[in-house]
PDB file of all heavy atoms in Angstrom:
ATOM      1  N   THR A  18      -0.424   7.033  -4.774  1.00 91.00           N
ATOM      2  CA  THR A  18      -0.500   8.490  -4.865  1.00 91.00           C
ATOM      3  C   THR A  18      -1.548   8.836  -5.933  1.00 91.00           C
ATOM      4  O   THR A  18      -2.014   7.956  -6.655  1.00 91.00           O
ATOM      5  CB  THR A  18       0.852   9.110  -5.291  1.00 91.00           C
ATOM      6  OG1 THR A  18       1.143   8.724  -6.636  1.00 91.00           O
ATOM      7  CG2 THR A  18       1.975   8.686  -4.363  1.00 91.00           C
ATOM      8  N   PRO A  19      -1.888  10.100  -6.084  1.00 91.00           N
ATOM      9  CA  PRO A  19      -2.846  10.505  -7.110  1.00 91.00           C
ATOM     10  C   PRO A  19      -2.298  10.443  -8.541  1.00 91.00           C
ATOM     11  O   PRO A  19      -2.989  10.776  -9.490  1.00 91.00           O
ATOM     12  CB  PRO A  19      -3.178  11.950  -6.752  1.00 91.00           C
ATOM     13  CG  PRO A  19      -2.691  12.183  -5.375  1.00 91.00           C
ATOM     14  CD  PRO A  19      -1.597  11.191  -5.142  1.00 91.00           C
ATOM     15  N   PHE A  20      -1.046  10.009  -8.736  1.00 89.00           N
ATOM     16  CA  PHE A  20      -0.406  10.035 -10.047  1.00 89.00           C
ATOM     17  C   PHE A  20      -1.264   9.400 -11.134  1.00 89.00           C
ATOM     18  O   PHE A  20      -1.495   9.994 -12.192  1.00 89.00           O
ATOM     19  CB  PHE A  20       0.954   9.339  -9.984  1.00 89.00           C
ATOM     20  CG  PHE A  20       1.563   9.106 -11.347  1.00 89.00           C
ATOM     21  CD1 PHE A  20       2.203  10.130 -12.017  1.00 89.00           C
ATOM     22  CD2 PHE A  20       1.469   7.873 -11.967  1.00 89.00           C
ATOM     23  CE1 PHE A  20       2.744   9.922 -13.270  1.00 89.00           C
ATOM     24  CE2 PHE A  20       2.016   7.649 -13.223  1.00 89.00           C
ATOM     25  CZ  PHE A  20       2.650   8.680 -13.879  1.00 89.00           C
ATOM     26  N   PHE A  21      -1.711   8.178 -10.919  1.00 86.00           N
ATOM     27  CA  PHE A  21      -2.432   7.461 -11.976  1.00 86.00           C
ATOM     28  C   PHE A  21      -3.749   8.138 -12.327  1.00 86.00           C
ATOM     29  O   PHE A  21      -4.100   8.239 -13.499  1.00 86.00           O
ATOM     30  CB  PHE A  21      -2.655   5.998 -11.578  1.00 86.00           C
ATOM     31  CG  PHE A  21      -1.384   5.207 -11.546  1.00 86.00           C
ATOM     32  CD1 PHE A  21      -0.753   4.934 -10.347  1.00 86.00           C
ATOM     33  CD2 PHE A  21      -0.804   4.755 -12.710  1.00 86.00           C
ATOM     34  CE1 PHE A  21       0.432   4.214 -10.311  1.00 86.00           C
ATOM     35  CE2 PHE A  21       0.379   4.034 -12.698  1.00 86.00           C
ATOM     36  CZ  PHE A  21       1.000   3.767 -11.481  1.00 86.00           C
ATOM     37  N   GLY A  22      -4.470   8.621 -11.334  1.00 85.00           N
ATOM     38  CA  GLY A  22      -5.714   9.331 -11.610  1.00 85.00           C
ATOM     39  C   GLY A  22      -5.476  10.625 -12.366  1.00 85.00           C
ATOM     40  O   GLY A  22      -6.210  10.966 -13.294  1.00 85.00           O
ATOM     41  N   ARG A  23      -4.422  11.320 -12.017  1.00 90.00           N
ATOM     42  CA  ARG A  23      -4.114  12.593 -12.679  1.00 90.00           C
ATOM     43  C   ARG A  23      -3.647  12.404 -14.111  1.00 90.00           C
ATOM     44  O   ARG A  23      -3.808  13.298 -14.935  1.00 90.00           O
ATOM     45  CB  ARG A  23      -3.061  13.363 -11.892  1.00 90.00           C
ATOM     46  CG  ARG A  23      -3.613  13.921 -10.611  1.00 90.00           C
ATOM     47  CD  ARG A  23      -2.589  14.753  -9.900  1.00 90.00           C
ATOM     48  NE  ARG A  23      -3.141  15.241  -8.640  1.00 90.00           N
ATOM     49  CZ  ARG A  23      -2.425  15.664  -7.634  1.00 90.00           C
ATOM     50  NH1 ARG A  23      -1.096  15.669  -7.726  1.00 90.00           N
ATOM     51  NH2 ARG A  23      -2.995  16.077  -6.540  1.00 90.00           N
ATOM     52  N   ARG A  24      -3.056  11.259 -14.411  1.00 89.00           N
ATOM     53  CA  ARG A  24      -2.601  11.038 -15.787  1.00 89.00           C
ATOM     54  C   ARG A  24      -3.760  10.654 -16.698  1.00 89.00           C
ATOM     55  O   ARG A  24      -3.607  10.547 -17.902  1.00 89.00           O
ATOM     56  CB  ARG A  24      -1.502   9.996 -15.848  1.00 89.00           C
ATOM     57  CG  ARG A  24      -1.995   8.573 -15.716  1.00 89.00           C
ATOM     58  CD  ARG A  24      -0.912   7.566 -15.934  1.00 89.00           C
ATOM     59  NE  ARG A  24      -1.480   6.235 -15.786  1.00 89.00           N
ATOM     60  CZ  ARG A  24      -0.867   5.138 -16.077  1.00 89.00           C
ATOM     61  NH1 ARG A  24       0.366   5.174 -16.544  1.00 89.00           N
ATOM     62  NH2 ARG A  24      -1.439   3.976 -15.905  1.00 89.00           N
ATOM     63  N   GLY A  25      -4.934  10.421 -16.099  1.00 87.00           N
ATOM     64  CA  GLY A  25      -6.116  10.107 -16.899  1.00 87.00           C
ATOM     65  C   GLY A  25      -6.342   8.622 -17.104  1.00 87.00           C
ATOM     66  O   GLY A  25      -7.265   8.233 -17.805  1.00 87.00           O
ATOM     67  N   ARG A  26      -5.498   7.802 -16.511  1.00 87.00           N
ATOM     68  CA  ARG A  26      -5.662   6.355 -16.630  1.00 87.00           C
ATOM     69  C   ARG A  26      -5.349   5.731 -15.270  1.00 87.00           C
ATOM     70  O   ARG A  26      -4.194   5.553 -14.906  1.00 87.00           O
ATOM     71  CB  ARG A  26      -4.710   5.809 -17.694  1.00 87.00           C
ATOM     72  CG  ARG A  26      -5.006   4.379 -18.069  1.00 87.00           C
ATOM     73  CD  ARG A  26      -4.150   3.924 -19.209  1.00 87.00           C
ATOM     74  NE  ARG A  26      -2.742   3.934 -18.796  1.00 87.00           N
ATOM     75  CZ  ARG A  26      -1.735   3.564 -19.555  1.00 87.00           C
ATOM     76  NH1 ARG A  26      -1.946   3.188 -20.783  1.00 87.00           N
ATOM     77  NH2 ARG A  26      -0.505   3.593 -19.106  1.00 87.00           N
ATOM     78  N   PRO A  27      -6.381   5.405 -14.491  1.00 86.00           N
ATOM     79  CA  PRO A  27      -6.138   4.879 -13.149  1.00 86.00           C
ATOM     80  C   PRO A  27      -5.370   3.558 -13.175  1.00 86.00           C
ATOM     81  O   PRO A  27      -5.408   2.817 -14.156  1.00 86.00           O
ATOM     82  CB  PRO A  27      -7.525   4.668 -12.564  1.00 86.00           C
ATOM     83  CG  PRO A  27      -8.500   5.061 -13.589  1.00 86.00           C
ATOM     84  CD  PRO A  27      -7.778   5.487 -14.826  1.00 86.00           C
ATOM     85  N   TYR A  28      -4.690   3.283 -12.096  1.00 87.00           N
ATOM     86  CA  TYR A  28      -3.976   2.020 -11.944  1.00 87.00           C
ATOM     87  C   TYR A  28      -5.019   0.937 -11.750  1.00 87.00           C
ATOM     88  O   TYR A  28      -5.752   0.933 -10.767  1.00 87.00           O
ATOM     89  CB  TYR A  28      -3.031   2.101 -10.748  1.00 87.00           C
ATOM     90  CG  TYR A  28      -2.183   0.870 -10.552  1.00 87.00           C
ATOM     91  CD1 TYR A  28      -1.110   0.608 -11.386  1.00 87.00           C
ATOM     92  CD2 TYR A  28      -2.452  -0.026  -9.527  1.00 87.00           C
ATOM     93  CE1 TYR A  28      -0.317  -0.514 -11.208  1.00 87.00           C
ATOM     94  CE2 TYR A  28      -1.664  -1.150  -9.344  1.00 87.00           C
ATOM     95  CZ  TYR A  28      -0.604  -1.386 -10.180  1.00 87.00           C
ATOM     96  OH  TYR A  28       0.181  -2.495 -10.007  1.00 87.00           O
ATOM     97  N   GLY A  29      -5.097   0.003 -12.675  1.00 84.00           N
ATOM     98  CA  GLY A  29      -6.158  -0.991 -12.646  1.00 84.00           C
ATOM     99  C   GLY A  29      -5.736  -2.399 -12.300  1.00 84.00           C
ATOM    100  O   GLY A  29      -6.534  -3.314 -12.382  1.00 84.00           O
ATOM    101  N   ARG A  30      -4.490  -2.586 -11.921  1.00 84.00           N
ATOM    102  CA  ARG A  30      -4.017  -3.936 -11.619  1.00 84.00           C
ATOM    103  C   ARG A  30      -4.264  -4.286 -10.157  1.00 84.00           C
ATOM    104  O   ARG A  30      -4.204  -3.430  -9.293  1.00 84.00           O
ATOM    105  CB  ARG A  30      -2.528  -4.033 -11.913  1.00 84.00           C
ATOM    106  CG  ARG A  30      -2.228  -3.791 -13.391  1.00 84.00           C
ATOM    107  CD  ARG A  30      -0.784  -3.885 -13.636  1.00 84.00           C
ATOM    108  NE  ARG A  30      -0.403  -5.299 -13.524  1.00 84.00           N
ATOM    109  CZ  ARG A  30       0.682  -5.804 -14.047  1.00 84.00           C
ATOM    110  NH1 ARG A  30       1.529  -5.038 -14.690  1.00 84.00           N
ATOM    111  NH2 ARG A  30       0.955  -7.071 -13.915  1.00 84.00           N
ATOM    112  N   PRO A  35      -0.616  -1.148  -4.921  1.00 93.00           N
ATOM    113  CA  PRO A  35       0.121   0.066  -4.562  1.00 93.00           C
ATOM    114  C   PRO A  35       0.471   0.070  -3.073  1.00 93.00           C
ATOM    115  O   PRO A  35      -0.300  -0.405  -2.245  1.00 93.00           O
ATOM    116  CB  PRO A  35      -0.852   1.192  -4.897  1.00 93.00           C
ATOM    117  CG  PRO A  35      -1.765   0.608  -5.926  1.00 93.00           C
ATOM    118  CD  PRO A  35      -1.902  -0.853  -5.540  1.00 93.00           C
ATOM    119  N   ASP A  85       3.593  -3.735 -17.646  1.00 55.00           N
ATOM    120  CA  ASP A  85       2.501  -2.777 -17.801  1.00 55.00           C
ATOM    121  C   ASP A  85       1.542  -3.220 -18.887  1.00 55.00           C
ATOM    122  O   ASP A  85       1.946  -3.405 -20.038  1.00 55.00           O
ATOM    123  CB  ASP A  85       3.079  -1.393 -18.109  1.00 55.00           C
ATOM    124  CG  ASP A  85       2.023  -0.313 -18.159  1.00 55.00           C
ATOM    125  OD1 ASP A  85       0.866  -0.589 -17.808  1.00 55.00           O
ATOM    126  OD2 ASP A  85       2.362   0.811 -18.533  1.00 55.00           O
ATOM    127  N   PRO A  86       0.271  -3.374 -18.559  1.00 47.00           N
ATOM    128  CA  PRO A  86      -0.694  -3.845 -19.554  1.00 47.00           C
ATOM    129  C   PRO A  86      -1.059  -2.822 -20.614  1.00 47.00           C
ATOM    130  O   PRO A  86      -1.866  -3.088 -21.487  1.00 47.00           O
ATOM    131  CB  PRO A  86      -1.922  -4.220 -18.714  1.00 47.00           C
ATOM    132  CG  PRO A  86      -1.822  -3.390 -17.496  1.00 47.00           C
ATOM    133  CD  PRO A  86      -0.333  -3.193 -17.253  1.00 47.00           C
TER     134      PRO A  86
END
Side-chain angles (χ1 to χ4, degrees):
T18 67
F20 170 79
F21 291 101
R23 288 184 182 160
R24 77 174 180 171
R26 191 174 64 179
Y28 183 74
R30 298 180 72 159
D85 185 8

